Amino acid sequence: QSGHYGRETSMTSPKYFINWTTFKKSWEDVTVAHWLKYPNPFSNHVLSEDVVERRVEDGKLCTVRFIVKKQRIPASLMWMVPNRHKACYVKETSVIDPVNQECTITTENLNCRFISLVIETLKYKGVKMCETVMERRTLISSKIDRIQKSVYQPAYLSWRIEFSLLL
């Protein structure tokens, strides 16, 4: 998936984050849990979720979803955001390979790229009967040098909080 990370060449000083965690759950349970993540009554920041493409290719389920969330840009930067960007539009592409017990999900923001680009890839791999490893790779990049700290610090803290909630 490294091809995704080079797409926005005009970005400055990207930050990469990577971590792994092991779930004491089967690959099937973890994959189903991911799919049931949205919509749910506890995710009130998610405004809508639409499946726009779904196909089976070489025995793998390939899906593209568009998710609309409440914007999480720091308040200090909201003045830069036009009204049409008050919501965050996200494209999620997933490939589920049941034969090899692998599930790869890549999300990227579709709007507000004039402030930052965020691309996250989750890879779930079944390793034992009741054990699944998740690798999480996140790229955060800003086009505006002056606001990088304003973008990176809150984004990194949010990323760490979300990760800690998984555990």
Side-chain angles (χ1 to χ4, degrees), residues 4 7 20 27 36 41-42 64 67 72 78 83 92 109 115 141 150:
H4 287 286
R7 215 181 302 175
W20 295 265
W27 175 83
L36 296 177
F42 301 105
V64 176
I67 301 167
R72 296 172 85 178
M78 283 305 289
N83 281 336
E92 177 187 88
N109 61 308
I115 295 175
S141 186
S150 298

mmCIF file of all heavy atoms in Angstrom, residues 4 7 20 27 36 41-42 64 67 72 78 83 92 109 115 141 150:
data_model
loop_
_atom_site.group_PDB
_atom_site.id
_atom_site.type_symbol
_atom_site.label_atom_id
_atom_site.label_comp_id
_atom_site.label_asym_id
_atom_site.label_seq_id
_atom_site.Cartn_x
_atom_site.Cartn_y
_atom_site.Cartn_z
ATOM 1 N N HIS A 4 -0.010 4.624 -1.911
ATOM 2 C CA HIS A 4 -0.923 5.650 -1.426
ATOM 3 C C HIS A 4 -0.153 6.804 -0.802
ATOM 4 O O HIS A 4 -0.579 7.936 -0.888
ATOM 5 C CB HIS A 4 -1.861 5.073 -0.352
ATOM 6 C CG HIS A 4 -2.897 4.165 -0.904
ATOM 7 N ND1 HIS A 4 -3.979 4.630 -1.598
ATOM 8 C CD2 HIS A 4 -3.011 2.825 -0.864
ATOM 9 C CE1 HIS A 4 -4.738 3.617 -1.958
ATOM 10 N NE2 HIS A 4 -4.168 2.514 -1.518
ATOM 11 N N ARG A 7 1.162 9.883 -3.136
ATOM 12 C CA ARG A 7 0.240 10.525 -4.049
ATOM 13 C C ARG A 7 0.260 12.048 -3.960
ATOM 14 O O ARG A 7 0.152 12.716 -4.958
ATOM 15 C CB ARG A 7 -1.171 10.021 -3.760
ATOM 16 C CG ARG A 7 -1.977 9.897 -4.997
ATOM 17 C CD ARG A 7 -3.363 9.428 -4.727
ATOM 18 N NE ARG A 7 -3.331 8.156 -4.044
ATOM 19 C CZ ARG A 7 -4.398 7.551 -3.601
ATOM 20 N NH1 ARG A 7 -5.574 8.096 -3.750
ATOM 21 N NH2 ARG A 7 -4.310 6.395 -2.980
ATOM 22 N N TRP A 20 1.577 -1.976 16.263
ATOM 23 C CA TRP A 20 0.958 -3.290 16.149
ATOM 24 C C TRP A 20 0.293 -3.618 17.469
ATOM 25 O O TRP A 20 0.765 -3.194 18.529
ATOM 26 C CB TRP A 20 2.013 -4.370 15.880
ATOM 27 C CG TRP A 20 2.705 -4.249 14.580
ATOM 28 C CD1 TRP A 20 2.388 -4.888 13.422
ATOM 29 C CD2 TRP A 20 3.870 -3.473 14.279
ATOM 30 N NE1 TRP A 20 3.253 -4.535 12.416
ATOM 31 C CE2 TRP A 20 4.175 -3.660 12.924
ATOM 32 C CE3 TRP A 20 4.660 -2.600 15.033
ATOM 33 C CZ2 TRP A 20 5.247 -3.040 12.300
ATOM 34 C CZ3 TRP A 20 5.721 -1.974 14.410
ATOM 35 C CH2 TRP A 20 6.013 -2.199 13.065
ATOM 36 N N TRP A 27 -9.760 -14.068 13.815
ATOM 37 C CA TRP A 27 -9.743 -13.126 12.698
ATOM 38 C C TRP A 27 -11.175 -12.821 12.265
ATOM 39 O O TRP A 27 -11.507 -11.671 11.969
ATOM 40 C CB TRP A 27 -8.931 -13.731 11.549
ATOM 41 C CG TRP A 27 -8.955 -12.882 10.317
ATOM 42 C CD1 TRP A 27 -8.161 -11.806 10.052
ATOM 43 C CD2 TRP A 27 -9.826 -13.027 9.198
ATOM 44 N NE1 TRP A 27 -8.487 -11.272 8.834
ATOM 45 C CE2 TRP A 27 -9.506 -12.014 8.281
ATOM 46 C CE3 TRP A 27 -10.844 -13.925 8.872
ATOM 47 C CZ2 TRP A 27 -10.159 -11.854 7.070
ATOM 48 C CZ3 TRP A 27 -11.500 -13.774 7.661
ATOM 49 C CH2 TRP A 27 -11.161 -12.747 6.772
ATOM 50 N N LEU A 36 -18.964 -3.755 11.786
ATOM 51 C CA LEU A 36 -20.097 -3.289 12.585
ATOM 52 C C LEU A 36 -19.799 -1.967 13.293
ATOM 53 O O LEU A 36 -20.644 -1.452 14.024
ATOM 54 C CB LEU A 36 -20.499 -4.356 13.606
ATOM 55 C CG LEU A 36 -21.008 -5.672 13.011
ATOM 56 C CD1 LEU A 36 -21.306 -6.670 14.112
ATOM 57 C CD2 LEU A 36 -22.221 -5.446 12.124
ATOM 58 N N PRO A 41 -24.962 3.474 17.628
ATOM 59 C CA PRO A 41 -25.435 4.611 18.426
ATOM 60 C C PRO A 41 -24.356 5.283 19.274
ATOM 61 O O PRO A 41 -24.552 6.407 19.741
ATOM 62 C CB PRO A 41 -26.521 4.003 19.312
ATOM 63 C CG PRO A 41 -26.272 2.543 19.315
ATOM 64 C CD PRO A 41 -25.593 2.222 18.016
ATOM 65 N N PHE A 42 -23.199 4.642 19.457
ATOM 66 C CA PHE A 42 -22.134 5.222 20.271
ATOM 67 C C PHE A 42 -21.150 6.055 19.451
ATOM 68 O O PHE A 42 -20.278 6.686 20.005
ATOM 69 C CB PHE A 42 -21.394 4.120 21.027
ATOM 70 C CG PHE A 42 -22.308 3.337 21.919
ATOM 71 C CD1 PHE A 42 -22.705 2.067 21.561
ATOM 72 C CD2 PHE A 42 -22.803 3.880 23.098
ATOM 73 C CE1 PHE A 42 -23.564 1.337 22.366
ATOM 74 C CE2 PHE A 42 -23.667 3.163 23.909
ATOM 75 C CZ PHE A 42 -24.046 1.888 23.543
ATOM 76 N N VAL A 64 -15.718 -0.285 -1.313
ATOM 77 C CA VAL A 64 -15.409 1.139 -1.168
ATOM 78 C C VAL A 64 -16.607 1.775 -0.479
ATOM 79 O O VAL A 64 -17.748 1.590 -0.907
ATOM 80 C CB VAL A 64 -15.150 1.823 -2.528
ATOM 81 C CG1 VAL A 64 -14.921 3.323 -2.339
ATOM 82 C CG2 VAL A 64 -13.983 1.184 -3.246
ATOM 83 N N ILE A 67 -17.659 7.751 4.088
ATOM 84 C CA ILE A 67 -18.107 8.008 5.447
ATOM 85 C C ILE A 67 -18.034 9.517 5.675
ATOM 86 O O ILE A 67 -17.043 10.164 5.324
ATOM 87 C CB ILE A 67 -17.216 7.265 6.466
ATOM 88 C CG1 ILE A 67 -17.262 5.751 6.190
ATOM 89 C CG2 ILE A 67 -17.632 7.580 7.889
ATOM 90 C CD1 ILE A 67 -16.213 4.952 6.917
ATOM 91 N N ARG A 72 -12.905 17.238 12.729
ATOM 92 C CA ARG A 72 -12.076 17.210 13.932
ATOM 93 C C ARG A 72 -10.847 18.098 13.795
ATOM 94 O O ARG A 72 -9.813 17.837 14.378
ATOM 95 C CB ARG A 72 -11.665 15.773 14.218
ATOM 96 C CG ARG A 72 -12.885 14.912 14.540
ATOM 97 C CD ARG A 72 -12.525 13.477 14.637
ATOM 98 N NE ARG A 72 -12.037 13.183 15.976
ATOM 99 C CZ ARG A 72 -11.680 11.995 16.378
ATOM 100 N NH1 ARG A 72 -11.746 10.968 15.562
ATOM 101 N NH2 ARG A 72 -11.257 11.795 17.605
ATOM 102 N N MET A 78 -10.150 26.353 12.526
ATOM 103 C CA MET A 78 -11.482 26.325 11.904
ATOM 104 C C MET A 78 -11.763 27.574 11.072
ATOM 105 O O MET A 78 -12.533 27.516 10.119
ATOM 106 C CB MET A 78 -12.572 26.121 12.960
ATOM 107 C CG MET A 78 -12.691 24.690 13.455
ATOM 108 S SD MET A 78 -12.937 23.456 12.155
ATOM 109 C CE MET A 78 -14.607 23.810 11.657
ATOM 110 N N ASN A 83 -17.309 26.783 4.825
ATOM 111 C CA ASN A 83 -18.493 26.102 5.344
ATOM 112 C C ASN A 83 -18.712 24.733 4.713
ATOM 113 O O ASN A 83 -19.171 23.811 5.376
ATOM 114 C CB ASN A 83 -19.743 26.968 5.163
ATOM 115 C CG ASN A 83 -19.816 28.044 6.217
ATOM 116 O OD1 ASN A 83 -19.246 27.909 7.299
ATOM 117 N ND2 ASN A 83 -20.503 29.127 5.901
ATOM 118 N N GLU A 92 -13.087 4.980 2.318
ATOM 119 C CA GLU A 92 -12.544 3.768 2.928
ATOM 120 C C GLU A 92 -12.555 2.660 1.884
ATOM 121 O O GLU A 92 -13.587 2.361 1.304
ATOM 122 C CB GLU A 92 -13.399 3.347 4.121
ATOM 123 C CG GLU A 92 -12.924 2.053 4.753
ATOM 124 C CD GLU A 92 -13.875 1.550 5.817
ATOM 125 O OE1 GLU A 92 -14.813 0.811 5.469
ATOM 126 O OE2 GLU A 92 -13.681 1.936 6.984
ATOM 127 N N ASN A 109 -8.801 11.150 3.991
ATOM 128 C CA ASN A 109 -9.725 12.272 3.927
ATOM 129 C C ASN A 109 -9.813 12.780 2.495
ATOM 130 O O ASN A 109 -8.817 12.830 1.775
ATOM 131 C CB ASN A 109 -9.316 13.393 4.899
ATOM 132 C CG ASN A 109 -7.954 13.987 4.615
ATOM 133 O OD1 ASN A 109 -6.963 13.261 4.494
ATOM 134 N ND2 ASN A 109 -7.885 15.303 4.524
ATOM 135 N N ILE A 115 -5.368 21.747 4.156
ATOM 136 C CA ILE A 115 -4.795 21.829 5.496
ATOM 137 C C ILE A 115 -3.939 20.603 5.773
ATOM 138 O O ILE A 115 -2.785 20.714 6.151
ATOM 139 C CB ILE A 115 -5.893 21.969 6.571
ATOM 140 C CG1 ILE A 115 -6.616 23.298 6.391
ATOM 141 C CG2 ILE A 115 -5.303 21.847 7.968
ATOM 142 C CD1 ILE A 115 -7.786 23.497 7.321
ATOM 143 N N SER A 141 0.112 14.620 6.846
ATOM 144 C CA SER A 141 0.950 15.597 6.176
ATOM 145 C C SER A 141 0.185 16.903 6.032
ATOM 146 O O SER A 141 -1.034 16.907 5.908
ATOM 147 C CB SER A 141 1.359 15.078 4.800
ATOM 148 O OG SER A 141 2.270 15.956 4.200
ATOM 149 N N SER A 150 0.165 22.714 14.643
ATOM 150 C CA SER A 150 -1.259 22.762 14.979
ATOM 151 C C SER A 150 -2.000 21.550 14.434
ATOM 152 O O SER A 150 -3.003 21.131 14.994
ATOM 153 C CB SER A 150 -1.901 24.028 14.413
ATOM 154 O OG SER A 150 -1.322 25.165 14.977
#
